[in-house]
Amino acid sequence: MRIIENVFEAISSRLLPSACIVCGEFQQRSLCLDCSTILESEHLLHYECCKQCGITLQTSELQERHCRECELNPPHFDETYCLDRYDGKLQSALHQLKYQGRLACTHGLASAWNALFSKGLMTARADYLLPVPLSREKLCARGFNQSWELARRIQCDKHIHKNPYILQRHHNPQNQAKGGRADRHISIQDMFYINPQYQGRLESTRVIVFDDVMTSGATLNEIARVLKDNGVSHVINWVLLRTLRPSQRSEHV
């Protein structure tokens, strides 16, 4: 089924007209050259970011290359790489994907990642690339996991195994997106686990976790804790969009 789907996507991308996910202009590419150029000049690789959590650093933090929060309360994950700000030009396309079910947006978002980010990350050493999972209930309600739909389309080293089944999630009826920072950390505790079929396979491995949005970092931190409790030696976050600190958000309104 996956082979047929990939063939259909390859054919349709060449024969059917597309619209740029940023400006909406109809042309062959799902991300037009003009918008790609703008994104390249704005994305987070051009900012000084915390190596561990990906937040944009303040002037006083530049020398250490770590934010104060990671220095005081080191997270379980080791590195974070984010493509762009949450309030940037890709936000609308991501919202259309997640909340309106427009799977076509995955092509443009993955194209943005591959065009601007993949070359710099192709040398990343890892054994697995795992998407942040949805619970079975949430997956049935939405119909797809946006993190996996993006992760399976992004380019990475051929030796990195992409797998959407290793990491699993319990159902939480609360809407985590509406909670504050403290609420997020509390509500996400013990929500993730390793699929029993893969128990023992993660010992001494390096794992990339892919997520569409990183806000407080609570979800990715809890996932990293679970992975390291199961023998993973190094956890790297790859994130499409990263929220800014409250003080920084006002500067970009």
Side-chain angles (χ1 to χ4, degrees):
M1 180 64 71
R2 181 63 67 190
I3 295 176
I4 296 175
E5 182 179 345
N6 290 339
V7 171
F8 175 78
E9 288 181 357
I11 294 174
S12 62
S13 65
R14 292 181 178 272
L15 298 182
L16 299 177
S18 181
C20 174
I21 60 169
V22 175
C23 69
E25 180 179 347
F26 282 93
Q27 27 82 72
Q28 187 175 2
R29 297 171 179 267
S30 54
L31 179 67
C32 74
L33 292 175
D34 288 342
C35 290
S36 179
T37 300
I38 294 173
L39 283 169
E40 185 173 6
S41 67
E42 293 182 350
H43 78 95
L44 288 179
L45 274 184
H46 297 299
Y47 293 84
E48 292 286 349
C49 297
C50 177
K51 182 179 179 181
Q52 196 157 10
C53 76
I55 201 73
T56 306
L57 293 175
Q58 297 177 341
T59 303
S60 60
E61 301 167 335
L62 292 177
Q63 185 174 356
E64 299 296 330
R65 295 189 62 196
H66 278 77
C67 68
R68 181 171 175 78
E69 181 63 28
C70 286
E71 290 285 350
L72 295 176
N73 302 294
H76 294 285
F77 49 75
D78 301 282
E79 304 174 54
T80 299
Y81 299 92
C82 309
L83 178 63
D84 199 13
R85 304 187 308 268
Y86 180 70
D87 62 350
K89 296 185 180 301
L90 298 177
Q91 182 188 42
S92 176
L94 181 60
H95 281 191
Q96 291 180 56
L97 168 62
K98 291 178 68 172
Y99 306 121
Q100 300 177 27
R102 294 193 60 184
L103 282 169
C105 290
T106 57
H107 300 287
L109 292 169
S111 294
W113 180 281
N114 293 333
L116 306 177
F117 223 15
S118 63
K119 290 182 180 179
L121 299 177
M122 285 297 284
T123 58
R125 293 191 303 109
D127 301 284
Y128 294 99
L129 192 160
L130 312 179
V132 171
L134 298 179
S135 66
R136 291 182 181 180
E137 292 83 352
K138 189 66 171 289
L139 185 60
C140 289
R142 181 170 290 174
F144 61 92
N145 178 353
Q146 72 281 354
S147 292
W148 171 240
E149 292 302 323
L150 291 166
R152 71 184 187 88
R153 290 173 169 85
I154 65 173
Q155 298 169 357
C156 63
D157 188 279
K158 63 181 179 180
H159 300 295
I160 299 175
H161 303 287
K162 298 180 180 180
N163 191 311
Y165 306 111
I166 293 177
L167 196 60
Q168 302 287 303
R169 181 174 188 160
H170 298 294
H171 183 58
N172 183 356
Q174 297 179 351
N175 187 348
Q176 185 189 344
K178 295 183 178 180
R181 183 182 180 88
D183 293 333
R184 288 171 182 268
H185 283 270
I186 294 173
S187 66
I188 207 67
Q189 289 180 2
D190 299 319
M191 292 301 296
F192 300 96
Y193 63 97
I194 302 299
N195 186 331
Q197 296 181 20
Y198 296 90
Q199 290 285 352
R201 298 192 190 183
L202 299 178
E203 190 69 35
S204 300
T205 60
R206 293 171 62 93
V207 172
I208 297 169
V209 180
F210 188 92
D211 202 4
D212 59 329
V213 175
M214 184 176 182
T215 306
S216 68
T219 295
L220 291 168
N221 190 47
E222 178 65 10
I223 287 174
R225 183 191 67 78
V226 171
L227 290 173
K228 289 192 171 180
D229 283 350
N230 282 270
V232 173
S233 62
H234 196 86
V235 178
I236 306 167
N237 299 325
W238 285 4
V239 180
L240 186 70
L241 303 181
R242 179 68 158 105
T243 58
L244 297 173
R245 289 170 167 167
S247 59
Q248 294 170 328
R249 291 174 198 167
S250 61
E251 298 173 5
H252 292 86
V253 173

PDB file of all heavy atoms in Angstrom, residues 134-144 171 175:
ATOM      1  N   LEU A 134       0.864   9.823  18.264  1.00  0.00           N
ATOM      2  CA  LEU A 134      -0.458  10.161  18.789  1.00  0.00           C
ATOM      3  C   LEU A 134      -1.019   8.927  19.476  1.00  0.00           C
ATOM      4  O   LEU A 134      -0.640   7.801  19.159  1.00  0.00           O
ATOM      5  CB  LEU A 134      -1.405  10.581  17.659  1.00  0.00           C
ATOM      6  CG  LEU A 134      -1.041  11.815  16.835  1.00  0.00           C
ATOM      7  CD1 LEU A 134      -2.095  12.045  15.755  1.00  0.00           C
ATOM      8  CD2 LEU A 134      -0.892  13.046  17.712  1.00  0.00           C
ATOM      9  N   SER A 135      -1.926   9.124  20.412  1.00  0.00           N
ATOM     10  CA  SER A 135      -2.620   7.980  20.997  1.00  0.00           C
ATOM     11  C   SER A 135      -3.522   7.357  19.932  1.00  0.00           C
ATOM     12  O   SER A 135      -3.828   7.982  18.909  1.00  0.00           O
ATOM     13  CB  SER A 135      -3.462   8.426  22.195  1.00  0.00           C
ATOM     14  OG  SER A 135      -4.524   9.280  21.770  1.00  0.00           O
ATOM     15  N   ARG A 136      -3.939   6.143  20.148  1.00  0.00           N
ATOM     16  CA  ARG A 136      -4.825   5.479  19.184  1.00  0.00           C
ATOM     17  C   ARG A 136      -6.115   6.269  18.996  1.00  0.00           C
ATOM     18  O   ARG A 136      -6.627   6.388  17.881  1.00  0.00           O
ATOM     19  CB  ARG A 136      -5.134   4.056  19.654  1.00  0.00           C
ATOM     20  CG  ARG A 136      -3.948   3.113  19.602  1.00  0.00           C
ATOM     21  CD  ARG A 136      -4.349   1.711  20.028  1.00  0.00           C
ATOM     22  NE  ARG A 136      -3.204   0.802  19.992  1.00  0.00           N
ATOM     23  CZ  ARG A 136      -3.268  -0.485  20.325  1.00  0.00           C
ATOM     24  NH1 ARG A 136      -4.425  -1.003  20.735  1.00  0.00           N
ATOM     25  NH2 ARG A 136      -2.186  -1.235  20.267  1.00  0.00           N
ATOM     26  N   GLU A 137      -6.630   6.797  20.112  1.00  0.00           N
ATOM     27  CA  GLU A 137      -7.872   7.568  20.037  1.00  0.00           C
ATOM     28  C   GLU A 137      -7.686   8.834  19.202  1.00  0.00           C
ATOM     29  O   GLU A 137      -8.524   9.169  18.353  1.00  0.00           O
ATOM     30  CB  GLU A 137      -8.350   7.932  21.447  1.00  0.00           C
ATOM     31  CG  GLU A 137      -8.808   6.760  22.294  1.00  0.00           C
ATOM     32  CD  GLU A 137      -7.665   6.016  22.985  1.00  0.00           C
ATOM     33  OE1 GLU A 137      -6.485   6.319  22.695  1.00  0.00           O
ATOM     34  OE2 GLU A 137      -7.955   5.134  23.812  1.00  0.00           O
ATOM     35  N   LYS A 138      -6.578   9.537  19.417  1.00  0.00           N
ATOM     36  CA  LYS A 138      -6.318  10.768  18.680  1.00  0.00           C
ATOM     37  C   LYS A 138      -6.032  10.465  17.212  1.00  0.00           C
ATOM     38  O   LYS A 138      -6.457  11.212  16.317  1.00  0.00           O
ATOM     39  CB  LYS A 138      -5.129  11.501  19.311  1.00  0.00           C
ATOM     40  CG  LYS A 138      -4.879  12.903  18.769  1.00  0.00           C
ATOM     41  CD  LYS A 138      -6.019  13.839  19.111  1.00  0.00           C
ATOM     42  CE  LYS A 138      -5.705  15.290  18.774  1.00  0.00           C
ATOM     43  NZ  LYS A 138      -4.688  15.870  19.681  1.00  0.00           N
ATOM     44  N   LEU A 139      -5.330   9.373  16.970  1.00  0.00           N
ATOM     45  CA  LEU A 139      -5.025   8.984  15.596  1.00  0.00           C
ATOM     46  C   LEU A 139      -6.296   8.635  14.829  1.00  0.00           C
ATOM     47  O   LEU A 139      -6.461   9.023  13.664  1.00  0.00           O
ATOM     48  CB  LEU A 139      -4.071   7.796  15.590  1.00  0.00           C
ATOM     49  CG  LEU A 139      -3.557   7.322  14.228  1.00  0.00           C
ATOM     50  CD1 LEU A 139      -2.804   8.432  13.513  1.00  0.00           C
ATOM     51  CD2 LEU A 139      -2.661   6.088  14.389  1.00  0.00           C
ATOM     52  N   CYS A 140      -7.209   7.945  15.479  1.00  0.00           N
ATOM     53  CA  CYS A 140      -8.480   7.599  14.830  1.00  0.00           C
ATOM     54  C   CYS A 140      -9.306   8.853  14.555  1.00  0.00           C
ATOM     55  O   CYS A 140      -9.957   8.962  13.514  1.00  0.00           O
ATOM     56  CB  CYS A 140      -9.275   6.629  15.702  1.00  0.00           C
ATOM     57  SG  CYS A 140      -8.589   4.967  15.780  1.00  0.00           S
ATOM     58  N   ALA A 141      -9.296   9.795  15.485  1.00  0.00           N
ATOM     59  CA  ALA A 141     -10.079  11.018  15.320  1.00  0.00           C
ATOM     60  C   ALA A 141      -9.508  11.894  14.207  1.00  0.00           C
ATOM     61  O   ALA A 141     -10.263  12.451  13.407  1.00  0.00           O
ATOM     62  CB  ALA A 141     -10.121  11.791  16.637  1.00  0.00           C
ATOM     63  N   ARG A 142      -8.184  12.035  14.146  1.00  0.00           N
ATOM     64  CA  ARG A 142      -7.555  12.890  13.140  1.00  0.00           C
ATOM     65  C   ARG A 142      -7.383  12.174  11.815  1.00  0.00           C
ATOM     66  O   ARG A 142      -7.444  12.785  10.749  1.00  0.00           O
ATOM     67  CB  ARG A 142      -6.215  13.403  13.663  1.00  0.00           C
ATOM     68  CG  ARG A 142      -5.485  14.318  12.695  1.00  0.00           C
ATOM     69  CD  ARG A 142      -4.292  14.972  13.359  1.00  0.00           C
ATOM     70  NE  ARG A 142      -4.706  15.956  14.367  1.00  0.00           N
ATOM     71  CZ  ARG A 142      -3.881  16.589  15.184  1.00  0.00           C
ATOM     72  NH1 ARG A 142      -2.583  16.327  15.123  1.00  0.00           N
ATOM     73  NH2 ARG A 142      -4.328  17.466  16.057  1.00  0.00           N
ATOM     74  N   GLY A 143      -7.116  10.881  11.874  1.00  0.00           N
ATOM     75  CA  GLY A 143      -6.937  10.101  10.648  1.00  0.00           C
ATOM     76  C   GLY A 143      -5.495   9.954  10.209  1.00  0.00           C
ATOM     77  O   GLY A 143      -5.191   9.153   9.335  1.00  0.00           O
ATOM     78  N   PHE A 144      -4.594  10.703  10.814  1.00  0.00           N
ATOM     79  CA  PHE A 144      -3.179  10.624  10.459  1.00  0.00           C
ATOM     80  C   PHE A 144      -2.362  11.289  11.560  1.00  0.00           C
ATOM     81  O   PHE A 144      -2.883  12.083  12.342  1.00  0.00           O
ATOM     82  CB  PHE A 144      -2.904  11.332   9.123  1.00  0.00           C
ATOM     83  CG  PHE A 144      -3.243  12.803   9.138  1.00  0.00           C
ATOM     84  CD1 PHE A 144      -2.281  13.760   9.476  1.00  0.00           C
ATOM     85  CD2 PHE A 144      -4.532  13.249   8.848  1.00  0.00           C
ATOM     86  CE1 PHE A 144      -2.597  15.112   9.510  1.00  0.00           C
ATOM     87  CE2 PHE A 144      -4.850  14.598   8.877  1.00  0.00           C
ATOM     88  CZ  PHE A 144      -3.876  15.534   9.217  1.00  0.00           C
ATOM     89  N   HIS A 171      -3.556   7.622  25.874  1.00  0.00           N
ATOM     90  CA  HIS A 171      -4.502   8.696  25.556  1.00  0.00           C
ATOM     91  C   HIS A 171      -4.666   9.635  26.741  1.00  0.00           C
ATOM     92  O   HIS A 171      -4.798   9.214  27.892  1.00  0.00           O
ATOM     93  CB  HIS A 171      -5.864   8.114  25.182  1.00  0.00           C
ATOM     94  CG  HIS A 171      -6.864   9.159  24.778  1.00  0.00           C
ATOM     95  ND1 HIS A 171      -6.641  10.033  23.746  1.00  0.00           N
ATOM     96  CD2 HIS A 171      -8.101   9.468  25.284  1.00  0.00           C
ATOM     97  CE1 HIS A 171      -7.683  10.840  23.604  1.00  0.00           C
ATOM     98  NE2 HIS A 171      -8.577  10.522  24.533  1.00  0.00           N
ATOM     99  N   ASN A 175      -6.653  18.726  26.494  1.00  0.00           N
ATOM    100  CA  ASN A 175      -5.984  19.387  25.373  1.00  0.00           C
ATOM    101  C   ASN A 175      -4.705  20.036  25.875  1.00  0.00           C
ATOM    102  O   ASN A 175      -4.725  21.086  26.504  1.00  0.00           O
ATOM    103  CB  ASN A 175      -6.901  20.440  24.744  1.00  0.00           C
ATOM    104  CG  ASN A 175      -6.301  21.033  23.473  1.00  0.00           C
ATOM    105  OD1 ASN A 175      -5.129  20.838  23.156  1.00  0.00           O
ATOM    106  ND2 ASN A 175      -7.123  21.748  22.721  1.00  0.00           N
TER     107      ASN A 175
END
